[in-house]
Amino acid sequence: ERNEYRAAENYIRARHFQEAVTVLSSVSASERDARWYFLAGIANSGLGNKITAMEYAQRAVQLEPDNEEYRRFLEELQYGTVYSSFSSGFPAGDWISSNKFCLSLCAASFLMRFCFCRC
């Protein structure tokens, strides 16, 4: 993996999206692969550049259509859930599902308080 990609990933995790874009821009256009477009999409999404992020995510999927990580990111951009899934600034993988499950349990516990009142 390229040093620029590792640096961009670290910047994204730290929510330093502009620095990630700067590092990625040092990769020449002829050397940009699916991973570049994926990382650039995340960084641009973090900066609020939704159209650019969508274009980059689409390009990443075009270059590697079987990559689930890229496809999931594109779907999240398309359906507006990117901030819940990328709340840490970088894809969280299985943590996302666990977090949703935990929140569901907390909500259920809260609602159960109203069901078992002693009137």
Side-chain angles (χ1 to χ4, degrees), residues 1 5 8-9 12-13 33-42 53-54 56-78 81-82 85-86 88-96:
E1 184 173 281
Y5 295 175
E9 289 171 358
I12 290 168
R13 282 187 190 98
D33 58 8
R35 188 76 181 164
W36 185 94
Y37 285 101
F38 171 68
L39 294 171
I42 294 171
M54 181 76 73
Y56 287 161
Q58 288 170 339
R59 183 71 176 134
V61 170
Q62 286 173 352
L63 292 171
E64 286 187 30
D66 295 331
N67 188 309
E68 282 298 314
E69 185 178 28
Y70 301 169
R71 294 177 79 217
R72 188 173 37 240
F73 175 60
L74 176 59
E75 289 172 5
E76 290 177 352
L77 282 173
Q78 289 171 331
T81 59
V82 72
S85 298
F86 291 84
S88 65
F90 199 71
D94 292 334
W95 178 84
I96 297 166

Side-chain angles (χ1 to χ4, degrees), residues 105-116:
L105 287 177
C106 290
S109 175
F110 177 75
L111 291 174
M112 291 297 282
R113 292 180 184 175
F114 298 106
C115 294
F116 296 109

